[in-house]
């Protein structure tokens, strides 16, 4: 079980990277608006079909 | 003969292609020019997938309240200096407040701006506040073009500046989220290590491992105690300096002493460490505090509100100028269909002005030389020249908006339920902790410290700090799904306590637009015969055709009502020639050789008084009188009955005439002495303020003219329809104009308060039992550490499982 002396700090270090990522995201304002992203999610499916229509339209001009 | 069923199916209007509301005539697939305009824009840009998105997000479209217009004022260098920001990477940024945001499809549509206009780099919508941030390239596009695009998509844009203090608030918010994140990470990892330590306490653990886990727990607890918990230390110390015992004081004490004690134990190799309790405590309390502050900030900006309802530009000597650059005494020209930009005196011309925005009543009044006019009112017909008296924030509507902003900023924080509970709590806990310490000090210092800390940990203010805000948040989210938007959590508390309800008339109790309810024609006997519109259309289609031909293209609300009432009779309308306006009356024209006229007249005394009346004349002799009335919303009477049954006093306030107010009051059951008519927005606010001094008052209304009254009341409920922007100051907003939703709001808030009170009872019981056990030395910090999260969990479960706003 001595391995835990290595595993514990190592795993905490890895997890620490995630925390740093979270802190960076927070700093750059990604969590400023928590309501709109929930609404944006619903719109993804329709994205592709409309983009396709517009690309077809512009390519056929 | 007439078969009523046949008639009703024949006149069933088709839904508008854009918004789905009924179209007034079968001639056009749209209900209004605004919807047609937006629909065309969507097709032009290839964005008809919008209707798909709308369907998916299961929200309904709204009537597009826009018209094609130029935004040339955005090219003015003064405008650019004030509203366009230069970005470090060379681009430009402008912030718009949009009227008409209501669903996910709006987000989708507006964020497509970069795809339809090459110069726009990015468009980001903040749904909660209706603010759209557009980043663009000034060399390829212009603010005017951006604004025109947004307008053509169906949203009226008003350029705004960043609110003062906004950046400070944003960075404070970000810092808070960082504290929560760090606390969460550390607390959970500490708990993982604690499991091993607990097991060790139970069945033995080898010393090296115990030390490893202990020391790592300490290291993980450090960021929590030094970074995440800072807000608590600050408020606790600040309170001490001010001589107040803040509830954060026992919390701060528990955190610091808990950590120090555990550190001491770790140093000597003792395994009784409490890092997990400390970290969990910090995490839960931070989340609770964050939930409390998350209710959306409603500091309304008077400037934004003003320019959302009145134009930025005015016409002076034929040229368009910034309204703010006008001086008193100058002359501006206003045409039919436009909004009056200033307060002033009519110099020349005549027309009909709708002061709905100030009085809430849609009946326009006729104006001519010498009549005072106000900014924000619409010139329905005619053309006038106005001498400027006041501009911008000095106008009547500007002052109303300013008072709204002042009130929403300086709202005294309500002594909420939570505040009342935590007042005595702090003092009691600290005294008991001190007492425990001194008592056990007679036995041993170590034990004294442990028991005192156990007490501090066990008497967790988790309910106050966490569960109640959670209950409120969850209920608010549930209510929002049903179309009840609570913008302040305190409203949940005020609604059940409200003893007085003040209702606006037009648009709230009534549908807001006049409807044709009867037609009177002279009978052979000389008396007037009254017919229903359907019967009239059947018997005298010639008169219907004449009326419709005369009112063709007229924007007057009564003309709209006529068109809606006779929407099926759109067939052969006679050609109208020599159309001319009759001042003070309506319109005159020649139809197939005969001279006809139609216009609004004052109803005769008695029966006709509460109605709006329009008379149709052939060769100047009356041949029909149309009676219009604003229809009462379904459920109005039941709502008033409910309110009165609950012991609440109901009042009716309106800007309309006494006769109309009386008619409505009688129909819904409000006693006449509780009604006030012809009330201006200022008078409404005064009246509500007076009522508020006696008992908690709730104001329910639907327009700008109610905005000041909202702020004077304990809480305001805004109705859908009318100037949305003004309703942003209301604490509660009904997204659907549906009266039963109002009773739902009251019932739901009562339930929520009941749950909050039950949670409090449970917490009190738990505190008494746990606290006693700690003081008697039965518990110890370990037991406290286990008990506290258990109690929090119970209370949180109550909050989540409770059924508020469910049906």
């Amino acid at each position: 079980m001595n391995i835990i002396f290595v595993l514990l700090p190592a795993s905490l270090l890895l997890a620490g990277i995630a925390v740093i990522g979270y802190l960076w995201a927070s700093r750059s304002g990604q969590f400023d608006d928590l309501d709109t992203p929930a609404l944006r999610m619903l719109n993804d499916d329709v994205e592709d079909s409309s983009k396709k229509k517009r690309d077809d339209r512009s390519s056929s001009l | 003969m007439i078969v009523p069923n046949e008639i009703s199916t024949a006149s069933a209007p088709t839904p508008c292609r854009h918004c789905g509301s009924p179209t007034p005539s079968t001639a056009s697939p749209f209900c209004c020019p605004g919807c047609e305009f937006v629909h065309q824009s969507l097709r032009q840009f290839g964005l008809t997938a919008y209707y798909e998105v709308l369907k998916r997000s299961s929200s309904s479209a709204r009537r597009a309240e826009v018209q094609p217009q130029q935004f040339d004022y955005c090219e003015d260098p003064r405008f650019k200096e004030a509203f366009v920001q230069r970005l470090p990477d060379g681009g430009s940024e402008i912030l718009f407040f949009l009227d008409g945001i209501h669903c996910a499809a709006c987000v989708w549509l507006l964020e497509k701006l970069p795809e339809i206009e090459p110069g726009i780099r990015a468009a980001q919508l903040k749904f909660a506040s209706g603010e759209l941030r557009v980043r663009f390239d000034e060399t390829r596009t212009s603010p005017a073009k951006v604004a025109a695009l947004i307008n053509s998509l169906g949203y009226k844009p008003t350029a705004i500046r960043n609110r003062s203090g906004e950046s400070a608030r944003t960075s404070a918010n970000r810092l808070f989220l960082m504290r929560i994140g760090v606390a969460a990470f550390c607390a959970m990892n500490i708990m993982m290590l604690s499991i091993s330590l607990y097991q060790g306490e139970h069945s033995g653990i080898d010393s090296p491992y115990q030390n490893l886990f202990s020391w790592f727990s300490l290291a993980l607890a450090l960021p929590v105690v030094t970074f995440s918990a800072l807000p608590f230390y600050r408020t606790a110390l600040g309170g001490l300096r001010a001589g107040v015992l803040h509830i954060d004081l026992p919390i701060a004490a528990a955190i610091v002493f808990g950590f120090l004690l555990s550190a001491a134990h770790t140093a000597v190799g003792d395994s009784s460490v409490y890092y997990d309790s400390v970290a969990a405590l910090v995490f839960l309390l931070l989340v609770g505090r964050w939930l409390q502050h998350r209710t959306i900030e409603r500091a309304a900006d008077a400037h934004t509100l003003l320019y959302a309802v009145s134009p930025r530009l005015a016409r002076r000597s034929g040229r368009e100028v910034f309204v703010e650059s006008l001086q008193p005494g100058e002359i501006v020209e206003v045409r039919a269909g436009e909004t009056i930009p200033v307060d002033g005196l009519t110099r020349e011309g005549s027309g009909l002005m709708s002061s709905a925005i100030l009085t809430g009543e849609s009946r326009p009044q006729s104006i001519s030389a010498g009549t005072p006019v106000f900014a924000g009112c619409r010139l329905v017909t005619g053309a006038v020249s106005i001498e400027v008296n006041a501009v911008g924030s000095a106008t009547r509507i500007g002052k109303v908006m300013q008072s709204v902003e002042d009130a929403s900023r300086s709202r005294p924080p309500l002594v909420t339920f939570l505040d009342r509970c935590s007042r005595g709590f702090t003092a009691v806990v600290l005294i008991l902790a001190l007492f425990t310490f001194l008592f056990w000090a007679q036995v041993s210092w170590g034990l004294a410290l442990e028991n005192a800390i156990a007490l501090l940990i066990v008497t967790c203010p988790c309910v106050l700090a966490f569960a109640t805000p959670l209950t409120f948040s969850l209920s608010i989210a549930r209510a929002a799904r049903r179309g009840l938007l609570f913008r302040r959590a305190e409203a949940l508390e005020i609604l059940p306590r409200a003893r007085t309800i003040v209702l606006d008339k037009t648009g709230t109790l009534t549908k807001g637009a006049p409807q044709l309810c009867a037609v009177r024609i002279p009978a052979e006997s000389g008396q007037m015969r009254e017919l229903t519109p359907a019967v009239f259309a059947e018997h005298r289609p010639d008169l219907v055709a004449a009326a419709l031909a005369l009112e063709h293209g007229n924007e007057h609300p009564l003309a709209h009502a006529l068109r809606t009432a006779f929407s099926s009779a759109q067939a052969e309308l006679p050609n109208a020639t020599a159309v001319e306006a009759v001042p003070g009356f309506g319109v005159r024209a020649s139809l197939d050789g005969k001279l006809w006229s139609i216009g609004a007249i004052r109803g005769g005394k008695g029966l006709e008084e509460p109605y709006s009346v329009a008379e149709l004349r052939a060769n100047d002799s009356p041949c029909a009188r149309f009676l219009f009335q604003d229809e009462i919303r379904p459920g109005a009477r039941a709502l008033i009955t409910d309110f009165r049954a609950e012991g609440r006093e109901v009042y009716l306030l309106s800007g309309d005439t006494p006769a109309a107010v009386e008619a409505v009051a009688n129909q819904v059951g409000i006693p006449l002495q509780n009604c006030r008519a012809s009330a201006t927005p200022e008078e409404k606010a005064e009246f509500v303020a007076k009522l508020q001094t006696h008992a908690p008052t709730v104001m329910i209304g639907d327009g700008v003219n109610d905005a000041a009254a909202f702020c004077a009341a304990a809480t305001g409920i805004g109705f859908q329809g009318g100037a949305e922007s003004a309703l942003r100051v209301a604490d509660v907003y009904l997204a659907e104009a549906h009266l039963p939703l109002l009773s739902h709001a009251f019932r739901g808030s009562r339930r929520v308060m009941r749950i909050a009170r039950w949670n409090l009872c449970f917490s009190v019981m738990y505190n008494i039992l746990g606290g006693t056990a700690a003081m008697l030395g039965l518990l110890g910090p370990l037991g406290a550490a286990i008990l506290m999260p258990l109690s929090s969990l119970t209370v949180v479960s109550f909050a989540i499982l409770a059924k508020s706003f469910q049906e």
Side-chain angles (χ1 to χ4, degrees), chain B residues 202-257:
Chain B
H202 182 75
S203 50
I205 182 172
D206 293 340
S207 185
Y209 299 127
Q210 186 189 293
N211 281 331
L212 173 73
F213 298 148
S214 242
W215 281 103
F216 265 94
S217 298
L218 187 148
L220 282 170
L222 267 175
V224 176
V225 172
T226 55
F227 172 62
S228 296
L230 277 179
F232 300 115
Y233 305 150
R234 246 180 242 141
T235 42
L237 287 175
L240 275 181
R241 244 176 273 143
V244 170
L245 281 180
H246 199 279
I247 193 177
D248 283 354
L249 195 51
I251 294 172
I255 296 169
V256 170
F257 291 126

Side-chain angles (χ1 to χ4, degrees), chain A:
Chain A
M1 262 302 278
N2 278 338
I3 191 77
I4 199 160
F5 281 93
V6 174
L7 280 182
L8 191 56
S11 62
L12 284 179
L13 208 68
L14 278 178
I17 295 174
V19 178
I20 292 174
Y22 169 79
L23 291 177
W24 167 81
S26 224
R27 262 250 181 85
S28 62
Q30 293 187 24
F31 298 129
D32 283 348
D33 183 8
L34 294 171
D35 310 295
T36 320
L39 295 171
R40 271 192 213 116
M41 255 173 52
L42 298 172
N43 301 335
D44 283 343
D45 303 327
V46 200
E47 281 284 326
D48 309 315
S49 53
S50 89
K51 197 143 199 279
K52 198 165 169 298
K53 263 196 221 144
R54 227 166 319 114
D55 292 340
D56 290 344
R57 198 182 301 244
S58 53
S59 63
S60 66
L61 284 171

Side-chain angles (χ1 to χ4, degrees), chain B residues 658-745:
Chain B
V661 172
E662 200 180 309
V664 171
N666 287 332
Q667 270 186 283
V668 296
I670 299 178
L672 284 177
Q673 71 262 29
N674 287 358
C675 300
R676 295 289 180 280
S678 313
T680 61
E682 296 87 356
E683 284 166 1
K684 280 190 178 182
E686 240 182 82
F687 185 72
V688 172
K690 227 188 301 170
L691 286 175
Q692 174 65 22
T693 55
H694 295 304
T697 308
V698 174
M699 171 76 199
I700 305 177
D702 81 313
V704 174
N705 56 313
D706 300 315
F710 282 154
C711 297
T715 190
I717 304 185
F719 236 75
Q720 200 265 312
E724 272 204 43
S725 42
L727 299 172
R728 287 172 171 274
V729 303
D731 291 335
V732 187
Y733 178 63
L734 264 61
E736 257 178 67
H738 193 52
L739 281 177
L741 213 54
L742 266 180
S743 334
H744 200 62

